[in-house]
Amino acid sequence: MSTDTTETKVAPKRGMSILFSLTLLGLLLFLWLLLGFATNSFWTPNNISNLLRQGSMTAILAVGQTFVIITAGIDLSVGAVVGFASVILAWLLAAGLPVWLAIILTLLMGVAIGSFHAFGIVRMGLPAFIITLATLTSLRGIGLLITNGSTISISNEAFTNFARADFLGVPSLFWMVIVVAVPAYIFLHLSRWGRYLFAVGSNSEAARLSGVNVNRTIYMAYILSSTCAAFVGILLASRIGIGNATQAEGWELQAIASSVIGGTSLFGAVGSVQGPLLGAFILATINNGANLMNVNSFWQRIITGALIILIVYFDQLRRRGSR
């Protein structure tokens, strides 16, 4: 089968239209304007910097999670991977390794975790929900064993100052979102590998018959997700200055929520890069505004859950209408 024929058959469904992206951007700007009128401190430089920092790490996690969800999978371990990566990085730095080598080894650890997930799904036949849930629990335990239930301090000031620094007036953590988002967009929307992700999520058997290596595509999706999570763990370690296995608890739900709010379908084959990024900053804005207005933090979780239910419901209606 020719390459042209294969690429034609596996062309992805464009679930994230420009109109929807603009709608999300409009919603984000509306929230910013609303909070600007409702509070006196929202538009202060310190608050905007905090908002960008809060949303940046969730945004990177959401991009990685989106690769998996597009294949009709799920990765519940990303929050635990973030905490575990912070422990590994701090442990390597404490052992005397240079920062660049510790970062590379931590990212390779993310690759290994993603490969393990894909192996469990492809070779062992385990549901993605089960294998990633097991990893979530295990990594928390391994991290606590390494730290003996405590934390590992990071004394490298150049490393810890990075997450707190600005470049051209913009927090360095937000620049890391751009560093991840640009190649992620090229990969997902402009390469054949991205088209394969959509094809597997739409119908894995049809994709296989069209010449797509389904197993390799699943490996690719989970490796990207875990590597993004490991990268976020590095950024988190830089921001808080310690390695802590219990950090990032619940971040997997934030990543999934950001992806879903951004238009990614939990049924697979529909998604984008820009949607989850906007979804992450919409959630960060809601949480930030709630804090400024002294709204009980429990309401933030209720709002997030309600948004997920509402969006998944409309996604189901859309799918029924397209049949």
Side-chain angles (χ1 to χ4, degrees):
M1 183 177 293
S2 68
T3 303
D4 292 339
T5 304
T6 300
E7 291 185 1
T8 299
K9 288 187 176 183
V10 299
K13 300 175 182 178
R14 299 296 182 182
M16 185 64 182
S17 66
I18 295 176
L19 178 60
F20 187 72
S21 298
L22 292 175
T23 301
L24 287 177
L25 180 59
L27 174 60
L28 180 61
L29 294 176
F30 172 76
L31 289 173
W32 284 20
L33 289 173
L34 182 64
L35 289 171
F37 284 111
T39 68
N40 295 323
S41 54
F42 180 79
W43 282 107
T44 60
N46 284 340
N47 186 65
I48 294 299
S49 293
N50 286 334
L51 174 61
L52 293 178
R53 289 187 175 95
Q54 289 167 6
S56 292
M57 290 187 281
T58 304
I60 296 172
L61 274 186
V63 169
Q65 184 74 241
T66 297
F67 292 131
V68 170
I69 296 178
I70 286 174
T71 66
I74 198 75
D75 188 352
L76 298 178
S77 71
V78 292
V81 173
V82 170
F84 187 67
S86 74
V87 169
I88 294 300
L89 182 76
W91 180 62
L92 292 173
L93 291 177
L97 269 67
V99 173
W100 65 269
L101 182 56
I103 290 174
I104 291 175
L105 292 176
T106 303
L107 291 175
L108 288 176
M109 179 271 300
V111 171
I113 292 172
S115 299
F116 173 73
H117 290 157
F119 178 83
I121 294 166
V122 171
R123 301 299 180 187
M124 301 174 65
L126 297 174
F129 177 89
I130 297 300
I131 186 70
T132 58
L133 181 62
T135 304
L136 181 156
T137 304
S138 300
L139 289 180
R140 295 290 188 195
I142 296 171
L144 289 170
L145 283 174
I146 292 174
T147 62
N148 196 27
S150 184
T151 62
I152 302 176
S153 297
I154 299 174
S155 58
N156 189 307
E157 291 188 5
F159 176 74
T160 54
N161 287 336
F162 173 79
R164 304 163 193 168
D166 293 344
F167 179 68
L168 299 178
V170 178
S172 56
L173 287 180
F174 185 79
W175 288 109
M176 293 299 99
V177 175
I178 297 175
V179 167
V180 171
V182 171
Y185 183 90
I186 294 171
F187 171 83
L188 185 61
H189 298 292
L190 302 178
S191 76
R192 76 170 61 179
W193 308 110
R195 291 192 286 272
Y196 290 171
L197 290 177
F198 285 102
V200 170
S202 178
N203 188 320
S204 60
E205 182 59 21
R208 185 185 67 81
L209 294 174
S210 297
V212 176
N213 189 323
V214 174
N215 290 349
R216 185 170 60 188
T217 302
I218 292 174
Y219 268 91
M220 183 169 53
Y222 283 89
I223 287 173
L224 288 172
S225 177
S226 291
T227 303
C228 283
F231 182 54
V232 172
I234 294 169
L235 298 178
L236 179 63
S238 173
R239 187 177 186 188
I240 64 178
I242 59 173
N244 187 348
T246 62
Q247 285 291 325
E249 187 174 357
W251 283 22
E252 58 279 346
L253 300 180
Q254 291 288 319
I256 294 170
S258 299
S259 186
V260 170
I261 290 171
T264 308
S265 173
L266 289 174
F267 303 100
V270 175
S272 71
V273 169
Q274 67 271 22
L277 295 178
L278 291 168
F281 285 102
I282 287 172
L283 277 185
T285 299
I286 292 172
N287 293 336
N288 180 268
N291 290 333
L292 293 178
M293 298 173 69
N294 295 319
V295 176
N296 192 311
S297 61
F298 299 148
W299 279 107
Q300 299 175 26
R301 301 189 180 192
I302 295 173
I303 292 171
T304 301
L307 280 174
I308 294 174
I309 293 172
L310 187 64
I311 292 172
V312 172
Y313 173 71
F314 280 113
D315 183 42
Q316 284 185 316
L317 293 181
R318 180 194 61 79
R319 288 168 57 86
R320 292 171 187 168
S322 63
R323 290 176 182 175

